[in-house]
Amino acid sequence: MSVRTLEIDGKAVTGVAGQSIFSVAWDNGIHIPRLCHVGGVSDVGACRLCMVEVEGQRKLVAACMTPVEEGMVIRTNTEQLLAHRRLIVELLFAERNHICAVCVVNGACELQDLAASLGIDHVRLRYRFPTLSVDTSHERFGLDHNRCVLCSRCIRVCDEVEGAHTWDFSGRGVNSLLISDLGEAWGESESCTSCGKCVQVCPTGALFAKGKMVSEMRKDRRFLKYIVTAREKHEWVR
Amino acid sequence: MTFEDLLEQQAKEIARQQGLRERIYCCTAAGCVSSGADAIKKAIDEEIKARGVGAEVECCGTGCMGLCSKGPLVRTQSDGTIYAAVTPEDAGALVAGQGANLLADRKLDPQADFFIKQEKIVLANSGTVDPERLSDYIAAGGYQALARAVMELTPQQVIEEVKRSGLRGRGGAGYSTGLKWELVAKQPVDTKYVVCNADEGDPGAFMDRSILEGDPHRVLEGMAIAGYAVGAQQGYIYVRGEYGLAIQRLQAAIKQAERERLLGSRIFEDNFQFRIDLRIGAGAFVCGEETALIASIEGKRGQPRQRPPYPPESGLWGKPTLLNNVETFGNIAPIVAKGGDWFATIGTPTSKGTKVFALAGKIENTGLIEVPMGTSLRTIVFEIGGGIPEGRAFKAAQTGGPSGGCIPPQFLDIPVDYESLHKIGSIMGSGGLIVMDDTSCMVDVARFFMDFCMDESCGKCIPCRAGTVQMHDILQRITKGEANENDVALLEQLAKLLRETSLCGLGQTAPNPVMSTLNYFSGEYEAHIRDHRCPAGHCVLPAAASSNREVQA
Ligand SMILES: Cc1cc2nc3c(=O)[nH]c(=O)nc-3n(C[C@H](O)[C@H](O)[C@H](O)COP(=O)(O)O)c2cc1C
Ligand code: SF4
């Protein structure tokens, strides 16, 4: 395994060839914000929160999609990047109906945490207040489109780890909508195995387990590491 | 077919055509068809039959003759005259060879600026060959460039020729075509693909459509040469489903070329084989973006993905893929036939050759034109385009569609090439050119294009999906007199966000129409916001809550 040495936020770090900037930064205690990345499934570079500056490159790059190279000098926290991230999170809050006070994951939501860590105390954009539905047809889980940020984590984990590919998007642009199978109610999906992986990787309260009250739900993603380790190293260890 | 067969067919067809007393070319491209060209062609055909002159007079349909606003157009081969606004009643005069006398009032002046200021390479056959007959294309020297490439040149030499020509991609970004070909050729992989981007999604653009409808074999020949140069055996043309006629002509052309062994296996008795298939798109703008287009051909949702890897390394089904625009491929045969050095004499130092533009909007001669790179905007708008109708004032020209910008009058004399347009905040784009006069509201123009981008955003990345919606909302409020200065500041921040963080070109360039109008027409934004007034008289705004109202009351 060939080693790459580089600098992130003034800190000299090393990674291995092929490793993403995001992952090397994370290994070194530098936590670049993200919503669509989740360890254990492929990356798509869709949320654009992990955009970083690489010295000598004209354009910003998505840290999750860019492999480290020898001698790179990376900045993850400039004023401009923070301003971009704040605006992206504001865009999400204005896009759908995120009402934390009535949400099952209040206090343990990645979107909420992002807003707090970026110091967002108000949204400058006009709320769109779209009319969206809640699908509670599944026996154990629910899908609240109002809280969905379209990160596609559920789609990828269901396809790549569970192998069911129950989820996908219909529509495009602002009309994109998460659907199960060909748009049937989740409870009627023939491909869903009810494994619940999608619920656990969902960064917000969009996918939730039934029977939880406001602020009661905590998501557990350790299973992903467990499965991926098992697949790659053939070891069943937690 | 051998090269000798090709030359023999050419000589035979030329002799046949020269033996006719008259060949009447009826423009059957979309523009003229919409003003009744089909009925005219039918009337002429019937007239020929009725007079029993089938042996000496022939009528054929052709691609776009350019001056769409004066259609339907008909050209008579014997004297090269083009007649405007032809009706089915004119069939008799045309067949009798009496056009010059009886239709004198509708003769277009061949010395008019519209004709003499143009230079046709890509459109050379448009309007002079019947796109449905391979022999017409062969008579015009068709497939000789492919023969030369396969029989005389090595793939590397073909690439050298293209590099020497200085040709740059006509799909928008203007990347060097020769370098792109070389990148694909260098990949040490057996299976490679050539893809032609005929998605043409810009509102109002019809350059690629006209090329495909008017001269489909030219595109096939360009793709086959590309296949030979980069080492691919399979090509795909990704055409939008709305282009029914183009699809029909391409299908027919592919069949004809296969029958004559100009496509398929053992082309020109060589070991080179190349097949072309069509893939029909559903008309999403974003599917013109190369990685989305590839995903769509693969049968997936048409969404862009992160680049690198770029298609020359990993494209269709993970294989090295050469993806070029229709017009780019349209330039290839002439370059290989006449040499890259010839091509490089046309245009400016950094932008070689010609560019096809679709003239639209407030301009006298709407239609399809081809001019040498570096022609000034003034020449295009006022000489070729005939100026602004009703004596109104030129306000701006919009190039590059939803990814481009508005060019104000002070830049009318800049040469139209990739660099100059970029410098003034627009882009060459694929060739849409919309002219606006003083009745066009620039804020509303920006709103229109943002509305388009918002509708066409694929929704994968947040800045574009949610950002275009917010930018559109602000622009709409400005046109309704409901916005304030803070909104403009927010608009600028959103523009910066989209440019710098969007995943693909759609989101990255969506703010361009806004930024260029803010730049050159900031007064109009201010008038809407502060005085609730639309200087162009286009937007309907409630009266400002100022002293004005008290005076009225
Ligand atoms: C949103 C978007 C739409 C595009 N649409 C087209 C199109 O309709 N036709 C086209 O040729 N290129 C289009 N492009 C550019 C292509 O991605 C690609 O650069 C081009 O086809 C390459 O061919 P060229 O090198 O011959 O220009 C589009 C790009 C973007 C970002
Ligand atoms: S920029 Fe727009 S069109 Fe391109 S990937 Fe992002 S959402 Fe899709």
Side-chain angles (χ1 to χ4, degrees):
Chain A
M1 247 189 297
S2 54
V3 175
R4 300 280 183 271
T5 38
L6 57 149
E7 189 187 303
I8 305 182
D9 292 342
K11 189 172 170 184
V13 300
T14 57
V16 295
Q19 201 180 355
S20 72
I21 295 175
F22 183 90
S23 150
V24 173
W26 196 266
D27 289 350
N28 286 279
I30 299 166
H31 294 184
I32 305 173
R34 81 280 182 267
L35 262 185
C36 65
H37 167 87
V38 62
V41 298
S42 65
D43 279 316
V44 286
C47 73
R48 316 310 276 173
L49 282 164
C50 74
M51 301 298 282
V52 296
E53 279 179 28
V54 179
E55 216 169 88
Q57 291 197 19
R58 207 164 38 88
K59 288 185 171 177
L60 304 178
V61 302
C64 68
M65 302 288 290
T66 311
V68 287
E69 280 165 35
E70 187 64 31
M72 266 183 170
V73 178
I74 296 160
R75 274 178 293 273
T76 72
N77 259 324
T78 64
E79 265 314 306
Q80 182 61 71
L81 289 172
L82 290 173
H84 280 338
R85 284 179 198 144
R86 273 195 290 270
L87 197 45
I88 290 177
V89 173
E90 285 182 59
L91 281 169
L92 284 178
F93 276 112
E95 186 177 35
R96 294 200 173 182
N97 307 305
H98 297 277
I99 318 288
C100 302
V102 296
C103 181
V104 282
V105 294
N106 189 8
C109 166
E110 289 186 44
L111 181 63
Q112 197 179 43
D113 292 348
L114 263 171
S117 67
L118 289 165
I120 297 173
D121 51 15
H122 70 292
V123 171
R124 293 164 288 172
L125 307 158
R126 287 240 293 212
Y127 284 93
R128 295 185 55 253
F129 297 123
T131 307
L132 292 163
S133 62
V134 181
D135 181 350
T136 53
S137 59
H138 193 279
E139 207 186 336
R140 287 164 49 210
F141 311 119
L143 161 60
D144 185 346
H145 289 291
N146 294 287
R147 303 170 184 154
C148 175
V149 292
L150 302 168
C151 67
S152 81
R153 281 185 187 180
C154 52
I155 299 179
R156 285 172 283 148
V157 81
C158 179
D159 176 44
E160 297 170 19
V161 180
E162 179 62 9
H165 201 135
T166 298
W167 298 114
D168 216 319
F169 288 132
S170 72
R172 69 170 179 235
V174 76
N175 298 318
S176 302
L177 201 70
L178 184 67
I179 53 166
S180 40
D181 286 356
L182 294 171
E184 285 96 346
W186 190 4
E188 275 146 40
S189 160
E190 291 189 359
S191 63
C192 173
T193 63
S194 302
C195 72
K197 292 186 179 69
C198 55
V199 177
Q200 299 305 330
V201 296
C202 174
T204 70
L207 290 167
F208 59 89
K210 284 187 174 172
K212 298 281 186 202
M213 294 291 289
V214 170
S215 310
E216 274 186 1
M217 190 178 174
R218 295 294 174 264
K219 300 206 168 177
D220 179 7
R221 265 163 226 141
R222 280 169 305 176
F223 76 92
L224 259 176
K225 190 145 198 250
Y226 180 56
I227 293 174
V228 173
T229 310
R231 271 198 185 162
E232 288 174 359
K233 303 194 177 142
H234 303 282
E235 289 171 20
W236 293 98
V237 288
R238 269 273 183 192
Chain B
M1 179 180 302
T2 64
F3 185 48
E4 287 70 34
D5 296 339
L6 188 70
L7 293 181
E8 196 187 308
Q9 275 207 20
Q10 180 187 24
K12 230 162 84 189
E13 176 65 16
I14 291 177
R16 189 191 73 79
Q17 289 182 16
Q18 279 169 349
L20 296 168
R21 171 168 62 79
E22 186 64 283
R23 207 160 188 244
I24 304 171
Y25 294 90
C26 210
C27 175
T28 47
C32 284
V33 166
S34 65
S35 52
D38 281 343
I40 295 165
K41 173 142 196 321
K42 203 166 144 229
I44 297 174
D45 280 335
E46 278 166 7
E47 191 69 30
I48 293 173
K49 222 193 246 156
R51 292 181 187 227
V53 290
E56 49 186 288
V57 182
E58 185 174 86
C59 174
C60 53
T62 70
C64 185
M65 297 186 187
L67 206 47
C68 306
S69 55
K70 302 270 194 308
L73 303 176
V74 169
R75 195 170 62 85
T76 46
Q77 175 68 2
S78 55
D79 55 358
T81 308
I82 299 183
Y83 297 97
V86 178
T87 64
E89 287 74 54
D90 301 328
L94 289 163
V95 174
Q98 290 295 317
N101 302 328
L102 299 174
L103 302 177
D105 54 327
R106 279 172 284 155
K107 247 165 101 168
L108 292 178
D109 176 10
Q111 291 307 311
D113 282 342
F114 184 84
F115 296 107
I116 59 169
K117 301 257 155 123
Q118 292 197 50
E119 180 159 353
K120 300 208 169 178
I121 297 176
V122 177
L123 297 178
N125 290 342
S126 243
T128 63
V129 306
D130 182 344
E132 293 181 359
R133 293 182 64 221
L134 175 58
S135 51
D136 258 39
Y137 183 67
I138 289 177
Y143 286 107
Q144 291 185 19
L146 177 62
R148 168 158 194 253
V150 173
M151 292 161 50
E152 288 175 23
L153 305 177
T154 63
Q156 189 51 41
Q157 282 171 324
V158 176
I159 292 173
E160 282 307 320
E161 208 66 72
V162 176
K163 271 167 84 179
R164 249 207 321 276
S165 74
L167 176 66
R168 294 169 66 175
R170 302 295 194 235
Y175 190 78
S176 157
T177 305
L179 287 181
K180 203 189 253 186
W181 287 29
E182 192 163 50
L183 271 174
V184 182
K186 272 205 288 221
Q187 303 296 321
V189 179
D190 282 342
T191 310
K192 298 178 188 177
Y193 297 102
V194 170
V195 176
C196 173
N197 188 342
D199 191 58
E200 196 165 54
D202 290 20
F206 55 94
M207 300 75 56
D208 295 347
R209 171 188 192 156
S210 301
I211 296 167
L212 294 173
E213 287 177 0
D215 200 10
H217 283 289
R218 172 71 81 82
V219 178
L220 302 183
E221 185 176 2
M223 288 179 71
I225 294 171
Y228 175 74
V230 304
Q233 300 180 345
Q234 175 70 47
Y236 291 100
I237 306 179
Y238 187 86
V239 206
R240 56 175 32 231
E242 290 94 326
Y243 285 0
L245 185 61
I247 293 169
Q248 192 190 316
R249 294 214 166 133
L250 277 170
Q251 278 166 341
I254 291 171
K255 262 206 201 108
Q256 292 162 353
E258 280 176 350
R259 202 175 305 132
E260 297 290 342
R261 300 279 284 278
L262 295 163
L263 286 178
S265 50
R266 293 198 58 74
I267 295 171
F268 289 111
E269 311 280 305
D270 190 273
N271 270 333
F272 171 56
Q273 52 174 333
F274 193 72
R275 263 165 238 288
I276 297 179
D277 286 302
L278 298 189
R279 286 293 177 269
I280 315 295
F285 176 58
V286 74
C287 284
E289 195 280 338
E290 53 188 23
T291 59
L293 187 151
I294 286 169
S296 177
I297 294 183
E298 289 172 352
K300 299 184 189 136
R301 186 177 160 88
Q303 263 187 338
R305 62 152 174 82
Q306 148 108 9
R307 299 176 308 172
Y310 288 89
E313 269 173 45
S314 173
L316 197 51
W317 292 298
K319 303 292 182 196
T321 301
L322 173 71
L323 196 139
N324 276 129
N325 166 262
V326 170
E327 190 182 336
T328 312
F329 281 123
N331 275 299
I332 297 302
I335 287 173
V336 173
K338 298 187 195 171
D341 291 330
W342 158 78
F343 192 83
T345 59
I346 305 159
T348 67
T350 54
S351 308
K352 301 297 186 192
T354 58
K355 181 76 197 80
V356 179
F357 285 101
L359 294 185
K362 301 289 173 56
I363 188 158
E364 202 58 56
N365 301 332
T366 53
L368 193 72
I369 63 160
E370 182 172 357
V371 289
M373 290 275 189
T375 304
S376 76
L377 202 55
R378 188 183 298 280
T379 302
I380 295 178
V381 173
F382 289 97
E383 296 175 15
I384 299 173
I388 319 295
E390 296 167 27
R392 300 205 80 98
F394 171 87
K395 185 170 192 178
Q398 210 278 349
T399 64
S403 314
C406 293
I407 306 170
Q410 66 259 39
F411 296 121
L412 267 172
D413 289 306
I414 63 137
V416 172
D417 62 34
Y418 293 97
E419 277 70 26
S420 309
L421 287 176
H422 189 74
K423 233 182 276 161
I424 56 170
S426 190
I427 60 165
M428 174 78 76
S430 54
L433 203 156
I434 305 168
V435 178
M436 294 168 228
D437 68 9
D438 50 6
T439 60
S440 305
C441 166
M442 303 315 278
V443 185
D444 193 59
V445 168
R447 186 204 57 78
F448 168 82
F449 283 112
M450 191 52 71
D451 188 34
F452 179 84
C453 290
M454 173 177 90
D455 271 350
E456 296 293 338
S457 163
C458 81
K460 180 169 180 175
C461 69
I462 304 167
C464 169
R465 181 185 76 226
T468 49
V469 175
Q470 291 291 343
M471 290 184 78
H472 178 258
D473 180 63
I474 296 173
L475 289 164
Q476 183 145 39
R477 281 190 282 128
I478 296 175
T479 58
K480 288 186 179 164
E482 295 167 5
N484 58 38
E485 268 84 10
N486 293 339
D487 287 316
V488 176
L490 205 49
L491 195 62
E492 285 173 339
Q493 284 180 41
L494 283 163
K496 195 164 163 56
L497 176 77
L498 265 69
R499 279 188 170 173
E500 296 184 1
T501 67
S502 293
L503 175 63
C504 86
L506 194 155
Q508 287 162 8
T509 58
N512 288 358
V514 180
M515 293 315 286
S516 82
T517 48
L518 263 175
N519 223 343
Y520 299 124
F521 300 94
S522 58
E524 285 197 38
Y525 282 82
E526 276 164 29
H528 283 81
I529 293 169
R530 251 192 259 147
D531 312 333
H532 288 206
R533 189 174 59 83
C534 175
H538 175 89
C539 308
V540 184
L541 296 102
S546 65
S547 51
N548 276 350
R549 192 179 289 171
E550 282 152 42
V551 174
Q552 280 165 7

mmCIF file of all heavy atoms in Angstrom, chain A residues 139-154:
data_model
loop_
_atom_site.group_PDB
_atom_site.id
_atom_site.type_symbol
_atom_site.label_atom_id
_atom_site.label_comp_id
_atom_site.label_asym_id
_atom_site.label_seq_id
_atom_site.Cartn_x
_atom_site.Cartn_y
_atom_site.Cartn_z
ATOM 1 N N GLU A 139 -45.320 -1.920 8.431
ATOM 2 C CA GLU A 139 -45.656 -2.426 9.758
ATOM 3 C C GLU A 139 -44.810 -1.780 10.866
ATOM 4 O O GLU A 139 -45.308 -1.393 11.910
ATOM 5 C CB GLU A 139 -45.369 -3.926 9.705
ATOM 6 C CG GLU A 139 -46.149 -4.771 10.628
ATOM 7 C CD GLU A 139 -45.645 -6.213 10.574
ATOM 8 O OE1 GLU A 139 -45.040 -6.627 9.546
ATOM 9 O OE2 GLU A 139 -45.834 -6.904 11.570
ATOM 10 N N ARG A 140 -43.512 -1.658 10.594
ATOM 11 C CA ARG A 140 -42.623 -1.213 11.665
ATOM 12 C C ARG A 140 -42.017 0.174 11.469
ATOM 13 O O ARG A 140 -41.524 0.782 12.415
ATOM 14 C CB ARG A 140 -41.482 -2.227 11.815
ATOM 15 C CG ARG A 140 -41.937 -3.530 12.465
ATOM 16 C CD ARG A 140 -40.911 -4.639 12.233
ATOM 17 N NE ARG A 140 -39.570 -4.225 12.548
ATOM 18 C CZ ARG A 140 -38.463 -4.713 11.936
ATOM 19 N NH1 ARG A 140 -38.584 -5.615 10.988
ATOM 20 N NH2 ARG A 140 -37.275 -4.299 12.295
ATOM 21 N N PHE A 141 -42.010 0.640 10.210
ATOM 22 C CA PHE A 141 -41.332 1.904 9.942
ATOM 23 C C PHE A 141 -42.241 2.931 9.281
ATOM 24 O O PHE A 141 -43.310 2.568 8.784
ATOM 25 C CB PHE A 141 -40.126 1.675 9.030
ATOM 26 C CG PHE A 141 -39.220 0.558 9.460
ATOM 27 C CD1 PHE A 141 -39.017 -0.545 8.637
ATOM 28 C CD2 PHE A 141 -38.587 0.605 10.700
ATOM 29 C CE1 PHE A 141 -38.179 -1.575 9.035
ATOM 30 C CE2 PHE A 141 -37.754 -0.428 11.102
ATOM 31 C CZ PHE A 141 -37.554 -1.530 10.269
ATOM 32 N N GLY A 142 -41.763 4.157 9.255
ATOM 33 C CA GLY A 142 -42.510 5.208 8.576
ATOM 34 C C GLY A 142 -41.582 6.075 7.730
ATOM 35 O O GLY A 142 -40.366 6.115 7.955
ATOM 36 N N LEU A 143 -42.147 6.751 6.733
ATOM 37 C CA LEU A 143 -41.388 7.670 5.880
ATOM 38 C C LEU A 143 -42.122 9.000 5.863
ATOM 39 O O LEU A 143 -43.263 9.090 5.408
ATOM 40 C CB LEU A 143 -41.284 7.109 4.449
ATOM 41 C CG LEU A 143 -40.925 8.100 3.339
ATOM 42 C CD1 LEU A 143 -39.561 8.742 3.592
ATOM 43 C CD2 LEU A 143 -40.920 7.414 1.981
ATOM 44 N N ASP A 144 -41.430 10.033 6.366
ATOM 45 C CA ASP A 144 -42.004 11.378 6.366
ATOM 46 C C ASP A 144 -41.246 12.222 5.345
ATOM 47 O O ASP A 144 -40.126 12.656 5.597
ATOM 48 C CB ASP A 144 -41.893 11.981 7.767
ATOM 49 C CG ASP A 144 -42.588 13.332 7.860
ATOM 50 O OD1 ASP A 144 -42.918 13.897 6.784
ATOM 51 O OD2 ASP A 144 -42.798 13.824 8.983
ATOM 52 N N HIS A 145 -41.874 12.450 4.180
ATOM 53 C CA HIS A 145 -41.198 13.206 3.113
ATOM 54 C C HIS A 145 -40.852 14.631 3.542
ATOM 55 O O HIS A 145 -39.941 15.231 2.990
ATOM 56 C CB HIS A 145 -42.092 13.260 1.869
ATOM 57 C CG HIS A 145 -42.214 11.943 1.164
ATOM 58 N ND1 HIS A 145 -41.161 11.371 0.491
ATOM 59 C CD2 HIS A 145 -43.248 11.086 1.029
ATOM 60 C CE1 HIS A 145 -41.548 10.219 -0.034
ATOM 61 N NE2 HIS A 145 -42.807 10.010 0.284
ATOM 62 N N ASN A 146 -41.571 15.142 4.518
ATOM 63 C CA ASN A 146 -41.294 16.508 4.970
ATOM 64 C C ASN A 146 -39.875 16.672 5.500
ATOM 65 O O ASN A 146 -39.310 17.743 5.467
ATOM 66 C CB ASN A 146 -42.280 16.901 6.072
ATOM 67 C CG ASN A 146 -43.696 16.995 5.548
ATOM 68 O OD1 ASN A 146 -44.021 17.927 4.830
ATOM 69 N ND2 ASN A 146 -44.513 15.997 5.862
ATOM 70 N N ARG A 147 -39.320 15.578 5.993
ATOM 71 C CA ARG A 147 -37.995 15.650 6.631
ATOM 72 C C ARG A 147 -36.887 15.087 5.748
ATOM 73 O O ARG A 147 -35.743 15.015 6.157
ATOM 74 C CB ARG A 147 -38.007 14.857 7.930
ATOM 75 C CG ARG A 147 -39.069 15.297 8.926
ATOM 76 C CD ARG A 147 -39.138 14.274 10.051
ATOM 77 N NE ARG A 147 -40.203 14.579 10.995
ATOM 78 C CZ ARG A 147 -40.793 13.653 11.741
ATOM 79 N NH1 ARG A 147 -40.409 12.375 11.656
ATOM 80 N NH2 ARG A 147 -41.743 13.981 12.583
ATOM 81 N N CYS A 148 -37.240 14.658 4.536
ATOM 82 C CA CYS A 148 -36.251 14.008 3.665
ATOM 83 C C CYS A 148 -35.361 15.064 3.007
ATOM 84 O O CYS A 148 -35.850 16.061 2.494
ATOM 85 C CB CYS A 148 -36.975 13.185 2.600
ATOM 86 S SG CYS A 148 -35.875 12.461 1.380
ATOM 87 N N VAL A 149 -34.041 14.827 3.024
ATOM 88 C CA VAL A 149 -33.120 15.764 2.384
ATOM 89 C C VAL A 149 -32.584 15.200 1.067
ATOM 90 O O VAL A 149 -31.668 15.757 0.473
ATOM 91 C CB VAL A 149 -31.954 16.154 3.319
ATOM 92 C CG1 VAL A 149 -32.457 16.987 4.483
ATOM 93 C CG2 VAL A 149 -31.202 14.918 3.814
ATOM 94 N N LEU A 150 -33.128 14.086 0.600
ATOM 95 C CA LEU A 150 -32.785 13.492 -0.688
ATOM 96 C C LEU A 150 -31.305 13.129 -0.794
ATOM 97 O O LEU A 150 -30.710 13.252 -1.858
ATOM 98 C CB LEU A 150 -33.192 14.441 -1.836
ATOM 99 C CG LEU A 150 -34.677 14.832 -1.880
ATOM 100 C CD1 LEU A 150 -34.902 15.980 -2.859
ATOM 101 C CD2 LEU A 150 -35.544 13.638 -2.265
ATOM 102 N N CYS A 151 -30.714 12.680 0.320
ATOM 103 C CA CYS A 151 -29.286 12.386 0.327
ATOM 104 C C CYS A 151 -28.970 11.062 -0.363
ATOM 105 O O CYS A 151 -27.834 10.805 -0.717
ATOM 106 C CB CYS A 151 -28.768 12.338 1.760
ATOM 107 S SG CYS A 151 -29.446 10.948 2.711
ATOM 108 N N SER A 152 -29.964 10.210 -0.496
ATOM 109 C CA SER A 152 -29.878 8.899 -1.159
ATOM 110 C C SER A 152 -29.106 7.845 -0.360
ATOM 111 O O SER A 152 -28.766 6.796 -0.889
ATOM 112 C CB SER A 152 -29.317 9.007 -2.593
ATOM 113 O OG SER A 152 -27.912 9.105 -2.609
ATOM 114 N N ARG A 153 -28.848 8.100 0.919
ATOM 115 C CA ARG A 153 -28.187 7.064 1.732
ATOM 116 C C ARG A 153 -29.019 5.794 1.773
ATOM 117 O O ARG A 153 -28.510 4.690 1.654
ATOM 118 C CB ARG A 153 -28.018 7.557 3.168
ATOM 119 C CG ARG A 153 -26.881 8.503 3.386
ATOM 120 C CD ARG A 153 -26.814 8.765 4.879
ATOM 121 N NE ARG A 153 -25.854 9.799 5.207
ATOM 122 C CZ ARG A 153 -25.625 10.195 6.464
ATOM 123 N NH1 ARG A 153 -26.308 9.660 7.475
ATOM 124 N NH2 ARG A 153 -24.736 11.129 6.702
ATOM 125 N N CYS A 154 -30.338 5.956 1.977
ATOM 126 C CA CYS A 154 -31.218 4.786 2.088
ATOM 127 C C CYS A 154 -31.210 3.979 0.799
ATOM 128 O O CYS A 154 -31.185 2.749 0.813
ATOM 129 C CB CYS A 154 -32.642 5.246 2.423
ATOM 130 S SG CYS A 154 -33.276 6.508 1.301
#
